Amino acid sequence: MILKKQSLVDQIYDQLRYDIINLKLPLGSRLNVSELQERFGISSTPIREAINRLQTDGLVVYENNVGARVMSLDERDVYEISELAMTLHAAAVKFAMKKADHMKMAREIQRCITNYRMADTVEEKTDSIHKLMGVFYANCGNSRLDNNMGLVKGQQLILRNIYGKASGGKDNTLDFEKIYRAVLAGDSAGVIEALEINEAQALPVIIKAIKASEV
């Protein structure tokens, strides 16, 4: 891997975060600093700093006599991440629908839906969904709400990728079109309802996949 001329810590952080979120580093797997040094061809210091940042994000945990490893998930974790994310999503939707131009948001959401339809991989579909939700955060006018979402964003992206892979890349376009129509109508309750329905469909699939991985 060739590192770009930017902070080594940022580069390592971005790559490891990408690998964790997209399940290229399995949940619960150990992050061996020596192996990462060999992979990136650098000293241990920027690697350790990047791992510390990932710990702050909740994507990495430290265990005595084990060291750093990728976070694990159980059924309770899935429900807690989902509940927190949906609470923040609902707030972002309500603020954005009060403060922002509905037509402008609808156009942005439509572009995200188009990208979702054209996506070839689960990772690309997940990224499109993330950007669709980002429309509400970008227009909610509340930086603290956006910052709080940042604390759970990586974990929710992991759940979305688990769902995408476990469902065989199921097409959820209809759910996102409901969101689009609700935004056009200025119906924040309709947006939230569509999000909740989509989340309720995904949770059993995610939990089943996690339990299967434990066997």
Side-chain angles (χ1 to χ4, degrees):
M1 176 182 176
I2 299 174
L3 297 179
K4 299 176 183 178
K5 291 184 178 179
Q6 66 180 84
S7 163
L8 281 176
V9 175
D10 289 344
Q11 184 73 9
I12 302 303
Y13 167 82
D14 288 343
Q15 184 61 54
L16 291 178
R17 184 178 185 276
Y18 174 86
D19 290 347
I20 292 170
I21 286 173
N22 291 290
L23 308 173
K24 298 181 186 302
L25 283 171
L27 296 177
S29 61
R30 188 178 174 217
L31 294 175
N32 186 293
V33 174
S34 297
E35 291 177 0
L36 292 173
Q37 280 183 262
E38 183 176 347
R39 173 184 173 185
F40 294 110
I42 59 175
S43 69
S44 64
T45 301
I47 291 173
R48 294 184 189 281
E49 290 183 22
I51 289 174
N52 286 338
R53 284 176 59 181
L54 291 166
Q55 183 186 20
T56 302
D57 290 347
L59 299 178
V60 166
V61 296
Y62 278 96
E63 291 184 348
N64 291 333
N65 302 318
V66 175
R69 63 172 179 79
V70 178
M71 65 176 288
S72 298
L73 287 172
D74 59 22
E75 184 171 349
R76 180 177 178 181
D77 294 323
V78 173
Y79 279 114
E80 288 185 350
I81 293 167
S82 173
E83 287 173 351
L84 178 56
M86 285 304 303
T87 298
L88 295 172
H89 290 347
V93 168
K94 289 177 182 177
F95 289 147
M97 294 293 281
K98 285 181 182 179
K99 300 176 182 179
D101 182 334
H102 296 167
M103 290 299 295
K104 177 177 177 291
M105 286 198 298
R107 287 193 296 270
E108 293 172 356
I109 288 170
Q110 192 171 46
R111 282 195 291 271
C112 293
I113 294 172
T114 298
N115 291 336
Y116 176 84
R117 286 174 174 155
M118 295 175 64
D120 294 322
T121 66
V122 169
E123 290 83 0
E124 290 172 350
K125 286 183 178 293
T126 296
D127 185 61
S128 298
I129 299 168
H130 172 60
K131 289 177 178 175
L132 186 154
M133 288 309 308
V135 171
F136 296 106
Y137 286 90
N139 288 279
C140 73
N142 190 315
S143 60
R144 287 174 172 79
L145 176 59
D146 199 14
N147 290 338
N148 273 290
M149 183 56 204
L151 298 175
V152 73
K153 179 168 60 178
Q155 295 179 352
Q156 194 191 37
L157 285 169
I158 289 175
L159 297 188
R160 285 179 178 158
N161 274 312
I162 291 173
Y163 171 72
K165 294 178 187 300
S167 67
K170 181 181 177 182
D171 191 330
N172 289 290
T173 301
L174 292 178
D175 291 340
F176 304 136
E177 287 179 341
K178 288 178 184 177
I179 293 171
Y180 167 75
R181 290 193 295 271
V183 171
L184 278 178
D187 180 10
S188 59
V191 174
I192 294 168
E193 181 182 13
L195 288 173
E196 289 175 341
I197 290 172
N198 181 259
E199 190 76 359
Q201 292 171 344
L203 285 178
V205 177
I206 296 169
I207 291 168
K208 182 178 179 180
I210 289 173
K211 288 183 176 179
S213 70
E214 296 173 347
V215 176

